[in-house]
Amino acid sequence: SSEVLEAIEKVIEDVFKSLAQKKAPVLTVAKRSDWRNVKFTDSVGLQMVPHCTTKQIRSDCPRSASKFARMLKILSMIYKMVQSNSYATKRDIYYSDTLLFGSQLVVDNIINDISCMLKIPRRSLHILSTVNGFVAGNLSYTEEDGTKVNCTCGATAVTVPSNVQGIKNLNSHAKFLLIVEKDATFQRLLDDDFCNRMSPCIMITGKGIPDLNTRLFVRKLWDSFQIPIFTLMDADPHGVEIMCIYKYGSVSMSFEAHHLTVPSIKWLGLLPSDLERLNIHKDVLIPFTKQDQNKLSSLQKRPYIACQPMWKKELEIMAASKLKAEIQVLTSLSSHYLSRVYLPNKLQFGGWI
């Protein structure tokens, strides 16, 4: 906490120095969404380069003065929370002054900018994210406040802990971890008692694009158990991108890559090549939209696809067919096909890439 306070004090000191010299104060932040500020390594994923390009948030420029004010406001809130050892959610921060912030998205972006500027992980700023993710399966742990959590697979799942850093006594006999893209598929596998039918496993869903806690939790489980991690995604560009976020990280959070990425993640399904292999009828597939086409073209240019020849091949199949499929397409074969045929066969015979 002293490190956080010192970092904020340094920023405010610079503001005062500028004022004392009758200069307009400026905050300098990294251009987090610029691919030129990111390098790719197979062992870590997307990482921010040490000397990245920056932009200035000026207090004397009409375009950036409001952002300057918002950043100082949030810095002061973080300072008070760290001093008093209290926490707030991003939502709490937004509602503390809706007129100043304007939208939740503005708050979320500023918090990431501050985390990057101070070079301090967001969870150390005493700001909690809203948790979207669910976990189920052969796993138990103790939360920071002493609550014992048992995720043993039943019909209900447990929400991913809001403070992943604080959990301890993790215990599992799981043979693998399965990341499921969508909540509906996750619930379906729970209803089919998948965790108990297969060898013991852990299942996680981020319900689409994963929030920070879900990514931190997947990384924590990987660090703790070193078990294989597989992904079950829709066979579409959006699903592939979500899988890449878990595996290699995102450009905007590349400054935190070491805590968030798990480069050993494997793509289990739904593979575009599976659709042909399983004779899935074209009638149940969905034609590409312009957005899908653009997303796929963007993915094919990403640095991590070049080092994954098998993934590259699957994306080429998708590009040639201009068709996509949701995981639910497997129910056209039989209602329990996913949990009783598709996944067991894939896991038994090594059908991942």
Side-chain angles (χ1 to χ4, degrees), residues 150-192:
N150 189 353
C151 307
T152 305
C153 222
T156 55
V158 172
T159 52
V160 165
S162 59
N163 186 354
V164 174
Q165 209 181 6
I167 63 173
K168 47 190 183 291
N169 305 330
L170 280 102
N171 188 30
S172 177
H173 301 293
K175 296 285 182 274
F176 63 91
L177 168 63
L178 182 66
I179 299 169
V180 182
E181 179 187 349
K182 286 180 177 164
D183 186 38
T185 310
F186 179 86
Q187 293 298 337
R188 183 64 202 258
L189 289 171
L190 268 185
D191 293 343
D192 282 358

Side-chain angles (χ1 to χ4, degrees), residues 134-142 149 151 158-161 164-165 167-179 186 201-205 213-229 246 259-262 264-265:
F134 282 120
V135 59
N138 192 292
L139 175 69
S140 63
Y141 55 86
T142 309
V149 178
C151 307
V158 172
T159 52
V160 165
V164 174
Q165 209 181 6
I167 63 173
K168 47 190 183 291
N169 305 330
L170 280 102
N171 188 30
S172 177
H173 301 293
K175 296 285 182 274
F176 63 91
L177 168 63
L178 182 66
I179 299 169
F186 179 86
C201 69
I202 301 166
M203 283 200 313
I204 277 188
T205 181
N213 277 335
T214 304
R215 290 170 64 190
L216 281 169
F217 196 49
V218 168
R219 176 60 196 245
K220 177 100 172 177
L221 294 173
W222 161 247
D223 287 337
S224 303
F225 305 122
Q226 301 279 306
I227 51 176
I229 301 182
Y246 282 107
H259 308 289
L260 293 171
T261 61
V262 185
S264 62
I265 282 173

Side-chain angles (χ1 to χ4, degrees), residues 74 78 90 93 106-116 122 125 127:
I74 293 177
I78 292 167
K90 293 188 295 183
I93 289 173
V106 166
V107 171
D108 297 356
N109 278 325
I110 288 175
I111 288 166
N112 288 337
D113 278 339
I114 286 173
S115 175
C116 186
R122 195 172 79 190
L125 301 177
I127 296 170

Side-chain angles (χ1 to χ4, degrees), residues 269-315:
L270 191 59
L271 302 178
S273 60
D274 288 340
L275 304 174
E276 204 170 299
R277 185 175 59 82
L278 298 171
N279 292 320
I280 302 288
H281 207 278
K282 288 239 179 355
D283 292 356
V284 293
L285 302 178
I286 308 160
F288 262 24
T289 62
K290 185 83 184 94
Q291 204 181 0
D292 292 324
Q293 193 60 58
N294 294 342
K295 176 67 74 185
L296 183 58
S297 301
S298 158
L299 278 168
Q300 288 177 306
K301 295 185 191 102
R302 303 270 172 95
Y304 40 67
I305 298 298
C307 72
Q308 291 282 356
M310 302 287 277
W311 286 29
K312 202 173 171 203
K313 208 175 281 182
E314 293 294 333
L315 295 187

